[in-house]
Every structure is written in structure tokens, then in C-alpha cells.
């Protein structure tokens, strides 16, 4: 049988744009879906006989301590999402109202803490919140407090650290939706007699609701897998599920129960996504249109309308506060500045401490010295970890950009009914809690002999970086003029020629920017490295994690400044490339 009749009868066999996504889909299937399925299988098997059992889940249900930790995890994640959205909403609203040129400059100050390593941020908060830290030193030194407040090793410290880590994500999620809100709607309502509270709750807030809900969803799901912040800023009462999973794998080697806990985290994320889909539709996660914010359920829509009307009525007495634009703007701008100071506080604290002349971390430093940087650069352990991080990040950037870019190009050129499913799979590594991905990969890598190898680290980091490259290149492709390709094709240029001489040069800035984001994702990544490195192939974040467990010292501050400097330079370069 000839090939021509076969492809004529089965058009899906013809090479088309959608096939470009095949490598990325295969990668996600092998290194995400397969490990997830294996974890589910482990949670349903007897440890010795591999027979089917629900005993591990029964153990979870019958052990009060695990149920209590499950409740703590959900409570802290919910509080983190709530405060991240609540405190970040005014900042997102203010950024959305700025001209494009000014907005991009201020967004850089949001991106910097967003991409800064969780270890660096947590290290800085430990310095600020400790009994002899910056905040308590100011309070006791000025006489505002007789003794230090307990700001660490409790839920307050964990919430502070997690809200600081998640608020940039909430702001970055809300801004694109708010930018597309037509401000003339609120002005028209005001000209018809609507008070400021009514305009906000009944017009502005419902239009921004898809962004608000998406921000809450993403921050909640991400917070479920946190372990760095509660490990250093919390106490026993703030132990989260991810910490127990690490103990089950690395100390108790209880894979079955670790799989059960991982399945619980994934189920919690899926339930949150299901609720979001019922209320708003998953398409609103990526849509810039605010029209997608309408609930699919008329009853819920009517209930939401009544709640907003009640909030407008309760807020009516505050209409007189700051009435008029000239009085209102300074208060809003002052709030925005305070929030930006909160976001940038770790960087501002770590920088002077890296140059301290003292052996201890005291603020302000009694003197200044560069000896801690010299200790870092003269340490074979630190330099080896840094070189390994650079090498792994460079390879990750190339692989993730190729896979994510091809998938983005496939969806941009195809209108197939499989597009939504492919889009969801490409974003899956960003939705599944990272600790679950790490456990699943560790189990897979152990079986194929890639634990404690650079290849294992590259594969794991690439999985995490693919969503960022996919989104970044997909955003650039939205503004691409495909008529240029058609014109070249009419002149006799083949597909590869068009790709090499037209498409790639025009998308060069976006591609390099996506590669830089992938580089930063890998360079700052700890969770995968904590499992895959196997204690031998240590990366810079892994080495920082090990040292922080031993003792806080100025060398860690110097390393943190090095990491901050690298991330800042890469973000500046990425921003310039995006503008070009």
C-alpha cells in the first residue's frame, strides 16, 4: 500500500504544526505523568508483596498527627493565598493604571523577589525576625518594647515568609486582567450617581475577579508544597505536609506512605482547580478578557451579587475618606511604597550583612570587610557547587527553551481540538506541587540510575522550566505576523528556510528571554536538587540548605548576595530583550 492513500484516509498522519509539540508532551509524560502514576500505584500496594491494599490510607486516617499536619498545611496555604491576594490587590490595581513604559519598570521590582531564591529570602527573614534580629533590636532599642517579641518559630513567622514569597505571584497574575478593564465603565457609573464603594464592589472588583481567583488558586496550590519557610521560620506546630514527605523518603525510606501523602497533596490541588473551573472556567487562567469571570452557575452568580451589594453597603461610610483623586492618590502610593519595601526587604538586609566584619550576623554591622566573599571564592565546596549550578542551568535553559518553544509554536499554528489538552499538560509542572514532582522523579531516577547525576538534575529542572518557556514564547508568538511566512513560501522558501531566516530572527528576543527565565528557574531550584543530587552532586541552593541547617554565618550572606546579583543581571537582560 502506498503512503499517499494512507495519509489521504488518515489526515492526522500528515506532518502538521501540532506534531511540533510531540517532544515536549513526551517529556512531560515520561517525567511527570509516569512518576505520578507510579506514586499512586505505590500508595495502593503492600510494601513486601505488592498486593493491592488500602492500608496506607487507613493508617493516614487513623493517625491523628498526620490528619493534624494535613489540616495545618491547608490552613497555612489558605491564609497565605488570602493575604497574598488581599495585600497585593492594591499594588496590582496601581500597576495596571500606569502607562506601559512605567509599568514595566515597576514590574521589575515585583519580578526580582519573585525569582529570588526561597533560601535567600528565608535566610533574610531569619535575620530580621530573630530575638536579636533587626525588628526586635529596633523595638527594644527605641524603648517600644521591654523584651524581644517572639516573631519566629511560630505561625506568624511562617505566614510572613510565605506571604512575602507568594505575593509577587499574586500581583503578576492579577495585573494582566486589570489592564484590560475599561476604566470608562467606572466613570460612567459615577456620572450616574454611583458612590465610590458601589463602583468598586459592583463594577471594578467583579471585572477583576478572574485575576483575583486565579491568583488565589496559584498561590494556594504553590503554598501546599512549601517546606523551606516552615522548616526555618516555624516550629513543631507549623510542620507542613512537604516536610513529612521529605522525612518519609530520606530518613524512614517509607516510599508507600510518602506516596500516600503526595497523592493527598495532588488531590487537594485538583479539588482547588475543580472549584475554580466550576466558578470561572479554566480558560480564564490564561485569558486577558475579563468576560470570563462570570460563574457557570446562575445560583452562585446571584449569591455573589448579593455578597458584593452587601460589601458595597458596608463600605459606604468610608466613601468620604480621601474623597477626590488628589487626596486619594498619595495614600494609595504610600501603601504601594510600603509593600515594595516589604518585598525588597530581604535584599536590602542581606547586602550589608555580606560585608560585615563580625563573626556573627548583627545588624547594623559593626564594621565592613570583604573576607566572607574571599572565603566563598576560596572554598572548593562552594565553587564546585556554583559551577555545577551554572552548568545544569545552562543545559536546562537550552533544553527547556527548545521543548517549550516548539510546543508554543505548535499551538500558535494549530486550531486542533486537542489544543486545550496540550496547553493543560504544558502547564501541569507548574500546577502540581513541586515536592510531589521531586518525590516522583526521585523514585524514577533511582530505578534508571540517574540519582546523583548532572543528567538527572537537568531533566528534573527542565520539567519545571518548560511552563515558563512555553508561556514566554507563546506570548511573543501572539504578536507575530504569519503573513511574512506565507510571503516567503510563495517565493519558494521551504519550511526550514522560513524558520531559520524569518521566524527565529524575529522571535530572537523572546526566545533568549525565555531561556534566561529557564536559567533562573534552574539556578535557584532546591526541591529537585534535594532529592536527585543524592548528597554528591550538590548545587548552590543545596549547599546553602546544608549550611543553614548547621549555623547562620556571614558566608551565607555573601553567597546570597552572589545569587541575588546573578538573578538581577539575568532579569535586567531578559527585560531589555523583551522590550526589543
Amino acid at each position: 500500500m502506498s503512503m499517499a492513500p494512507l495519509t489521504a484516509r488518515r489526515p492526522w498522519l500528515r506532518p502538521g504544526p501540532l506534531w511540533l509539540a510531540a517532544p515536549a508532551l513526551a517529556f512531560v509524560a515520561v517525567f511527570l505523568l509516569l512518576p505520578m502514576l507510579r506514586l499512586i500505584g505505590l500508595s495502593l500496594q503492600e510494601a513486601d508483596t505488592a498486593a493491592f491494599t488500602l492500608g496506607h490510607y487507613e493508617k493516614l486516617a487513623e493517625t491523628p498527627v498526620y490528619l493534624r499536619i494535613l489540616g495545618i498545611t491547608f490552613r497555612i496555604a489558605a491564609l497565605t493565598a488570602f493575604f497574598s491576594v488581599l495585600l497585593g490587590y492594591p499594588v496590582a490595581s496601581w500597576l495596571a493604571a500606569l502607562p506601559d513604559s512605567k509599568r514595566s519598570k515597576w514590574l521589575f521590582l515585583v519580578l526580582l523577589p519573585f525569582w529570588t531564591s526561597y533560601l535567600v529570602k528565608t535566610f533574610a527573614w531569619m535575620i530580621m525576625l530573630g530575638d536579636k534580629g533587626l525588628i526586635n533590636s529596633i523595638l527594644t532599642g527605641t524603648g517600644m518594647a521591654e523584651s524581644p517579641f517572639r516573631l519566629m518559630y511560630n505561625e506568624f513567622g511562617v505566614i510572613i515568609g510565605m506571604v512575602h514569597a507568594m505575593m509577587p505571584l499574586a500581583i503578576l497574575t492579577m495585573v494582566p486582567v486589570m489592564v484590560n478593564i475599561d476604566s470608562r465603565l467606572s466613570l460612567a457609573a459615577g456620572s450616574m450617581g454611583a458612590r465610590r464603594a458601589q463602583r468598586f464592589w459592583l463594577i471594578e472588583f467583579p471585572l477583576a475577579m478572574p485575576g483575583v481567583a486565579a491568583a488565589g488558586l496559584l498561590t494556594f496550590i504553590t503554598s501546599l508544597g512549601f517546606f523551606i519557610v516552615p522548616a526555618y521560620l516555624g516550629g513543631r506546630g507549623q510542620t507542613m505536609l512537604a516536610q513529612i514527605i521529605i522525612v518519609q523518603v530520606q530518613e524512614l525510606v517509607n516510599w508507600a506512605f510518602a506516596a500516600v501523602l503526595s497523592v493527598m497533596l495532588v488531590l487537594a490541588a485538583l479539588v482547588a482547580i475543580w472549584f475554580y473551573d466550576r466558578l470561572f472556567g479554566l480558560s480564564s487562567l490564561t485569558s486577558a478578557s475579563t468576560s470570563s469571570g462570570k460563574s457557570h452557575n446562575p445560583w452562585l452568580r446571584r449569591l455573589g451579587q448579593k455578597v458584593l451589594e452587601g460589601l458595597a453597603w458596608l463600605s459606604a461610610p468610608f466613601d468620604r475618606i480621601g474623597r477626590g483623586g488628589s487626596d486619594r492618590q498619595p495614600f494609595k502610593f504610600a501603601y504601594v511604597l510600603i509593600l515594595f519595601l516589604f518585598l525588597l526587604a530581604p535584599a536590602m538586609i542581606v547586602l550589608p550583612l555580606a560585608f560585615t566584619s563580625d563573626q556573627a550576623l548583627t545588624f547594623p554591622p559593626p564594621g565592613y570587610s570583604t573576607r566572607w566573599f574571599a572565603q566563598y571564592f576560596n572554598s572548593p565546596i562552594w565553587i564546585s557547587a556554583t559551577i555545577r549550578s551554572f552548568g545544569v542551568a545552562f543545559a536546562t535553559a537550552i533544553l527547556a527553551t527548545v521543548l517549550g518553544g516548539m510546543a508554543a509554536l505548535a499551538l500558535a499554528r494549530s486550531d486542533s481540538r486537542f489544543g486545550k489538552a496540550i496547553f493543560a499538560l504544558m502547564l501541569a509542572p507548574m500546577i502540581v506541587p513541586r515536592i510531589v514532582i521531586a518525590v516522583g522523579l526521585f523514585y524514577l531516577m533511582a530505578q534508571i540510575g540517574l540519582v546523583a547525576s548532572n543528567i538527572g538534575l537537568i531533566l528534573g529542572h527542565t520539567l519545571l522550566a518548560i511552563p515558563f518557556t512555553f508561556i514566554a514564547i507563546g506570548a511573543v508568538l501572539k504578536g507575530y505576523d504569519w503573513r511574512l511566512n506565507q510571503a516567503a513560501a510563495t517565493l519558494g522558501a521551504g519550511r526550514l528556510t522560513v524558520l531559520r531566516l524569518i521566524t527565529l530572527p524575529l522571535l530572537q528576543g523572546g526566545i533568549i528571554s525565555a531561556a534566561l527565565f529557564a536559567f533562573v528557574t534552574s539556578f535557584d531550584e532546591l526541591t529537585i536538587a534535594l532529592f536527585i543530587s543524592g548528597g554528591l552532586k550538590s548545587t548552590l541552593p543545596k549547599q546553602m540548605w546544608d549550611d543553614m541547617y548547621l549555623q547562620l554565618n556571614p558566608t551565607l550572606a555573601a553567597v546570597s548576595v552572589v545569587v541575588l546579583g546573578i538573578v538581577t543581571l539575568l532579569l535586567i537582560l531578559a527585560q531589555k530583550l523583551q522590550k526589543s
Side-chain angles (χ1 to χ4, degrees), residues 325-340:
S326 60
D327 295 329
R328 181 182 174 189
Q329 193 65 25
F331 288 104
K332 191 172 185 179
F333 187 69
Y335 175 83
V336 169
L337 284 180
I338 291 173
L339 259 291
F340 273 113

Side-chain angles (χ1 to χ4, degrees), residues 153-231:
Y153 309 122
N154 52 29
E155 191 162 310
F156 176 81
V158 173
I159 295 297
I160 288 289
M162 291 184 63
V163 169
H164 177 269
M166 288 292 99
M167 195 188 302
L169 176 61
I171 294 172
L172 292 171
T173 306
M174 290 187 285
V175 167
V177 175
M178 292 181 175
V179 166
N180 287 277
I181 296 176
D182 192 344
S183 59
R184 294 174 298 180
L185 296 174
S186 180
L187 294 175
S191 66
M192 297 177 68
R195 298 188 305 271
R196 196 173 72 190
Q198 291 176 317
R199 297 199 303 270
F200 175 77
W201 289 112
L202 301 181
I203 297 176
E204 297 172 14
F205 187 75
L207 291 173
M209 194 60 195
V212 172
L217 174 69
L218 293 177
T219 51
F220 175 78
I221 290 175
T222 307
S223 299
L224 285 175
F226 261 56
F227 66 93
I228 298 174
V229 175

Side-chain angles (χ1 to χ4, degrees), residues 337-358:
L337 284 180
I338 291 173
L339 259 291
F340 273 113
L341 286 175
F342 172 72
L343 292 176
L344 298 174
M348 294 187 294
I349 293 298
V350 167
L351 185 60
L353 289 176
F355 294 92
T356 184
S357 60
D358 198 1

